[in-house]
Amino acid sequence: ISIMSYADTLLNASKLDARVRGAMYDIILGIIMGIIVQKFGGSSVANAERIFHVAKIITDTYSAGNKVVVVVSAQGDTTDDLLQKAAEISDVPSRRELDVLLSTGEQMSMALLAMAIEKLGFPVVSLTGWQIGLQTDAVHGSSRIRKIDKERLESELGRNNIVIVAGFQGINRYGDMTTLGRGGSDTSAVAIAT
């Protein structure tokens, strides 16, 4: 009996909700296929030295034969700095525009980390929340993930790229950038892993 057949038997026999069974099946499949999802917080990528340290961890995981997806947070105090900049412009900024501004912190981290990995000689691509199809509700500042269309992720992994994802962000049904609130990069990582 194959591992996947055994997983099917166990999950279908369980009394778990169908969505939970599906998520668990995806996790089992990811483990079998050697897909590793890593998450690095803001202090881990706070400066060039730390970024290269993280890049080494990631490339070691890749070199061990794994497909790697990495979710990153904004560097250090970047989110707080961006909130301060917004406050200098407006006492009550639009939640939509605040999401657009705050999402740039994670985008900066993912691009810098991708550059470091590329410098080490490894294939890498950085993707924003909307590029990986992370779809959310329309609540700006504390959106909830509705689903992830994993076609782009799977395509990049199929090309043997290390995939660096900007955490904390997605896109709503209107095509607007949204953020998941504090701890949103952790939420992004969990959603991608499932």
Side-chain angles (χ1 to χ4, degrees):
I1 187 167
S2 75
I3 293 173
M4 290 316 294
S5 295
Y6 183 67
D8 281 339
T9 303
L10 284 177
L11 292 174
N12 288 327
S14 71
K15 295 181 181 183
L16 297 172
D17 176 82
R19 287 175 46 187
V20 174
R21 281 195 316 266
M24 291 178 72
Y25 186 86
D26 287 347
I27 291 170
I28 292 167
L29 185 60
I31 292 168
I32 292 168
M33 293 178 61
I35 299 172
I36 304 293
V37 177
Q38 298 175 316
K39 193 273 179 180
F40 294 95
S43 62
S44 299
V45 293
N47 58 43
E49 180 182 349
R50 290 182 181 184
I51 288 172
F52 276 105
H53 177 72
V54 166
K56 179 75 169 99
I57 293 168
I58 294 164
T59 56
D60 286 349
T61 303
Y62 179 84
S63 294
N66 300 294
K67 295 181 181 294
V68 183
V69 178
V70 179
V71 178
V72 290
S73 298
Q75 290 183 296
D77 296 325
T78 301
T79 301
D80 292 333
D81 293 344
L82 292 170
L83 285 169
Q84 183 176 345
K85 288 183 183 299
E88 291 170 7
I89 302 298
S90 173
D91 293 336
V92 186
S94 152
R95 302 290 290 170
R96 180 191 181 280
E97 298 309 325
L98 202 52
D99 276 0
V100 172
L101 177 64
L102 294 180
S103 67
T104 63
E106 280 72 17
Q107 291 177 48
M108 182 173 66
S109 292
M110 73 170 192
L112 292 171
L113 182 55
M115 290 175 197
I117 291 169
E118 195 171 53
K119 185 172 182 176
L120 295 176
F122 290 84
V124 63
V125 63
S126 64
L127 300 171
T128 62
W130 71 266
Q131 288 176 307
I132 65 161
L134 196 151
Q135 299 171 28
T136 70
D137 62 21
V139 179
H140 289 287
S142 59
S143 291
R144 297 180 60 100
I145 298 171
R146 294 287 185 220
K147 70 176 187 172
I148 300 177
D149 175 3
K150 294 189 178 179
E151 184 177 329
R152 179 73 186 270
L153 274 174
E154 291 168 356
S155 173
E156 295 298 343
L157 290 171
R159 291 185 183 110
N160 292 317
N161 283 322
I162 296 168
V163 181
I164 310 298
V165 177
F168 177 69
Q169 61 183 255
I171 190 168
N172 66 25
R173 64 184 168 158
Y174 306 110
D176 292 331
M177 182 75 70
T178 57
T179 62
L180 306 176
R182 290 290 181 170
S185 291
D186 293 336
T187 304
S188 299
V190 170
I192 290 167
T194 59

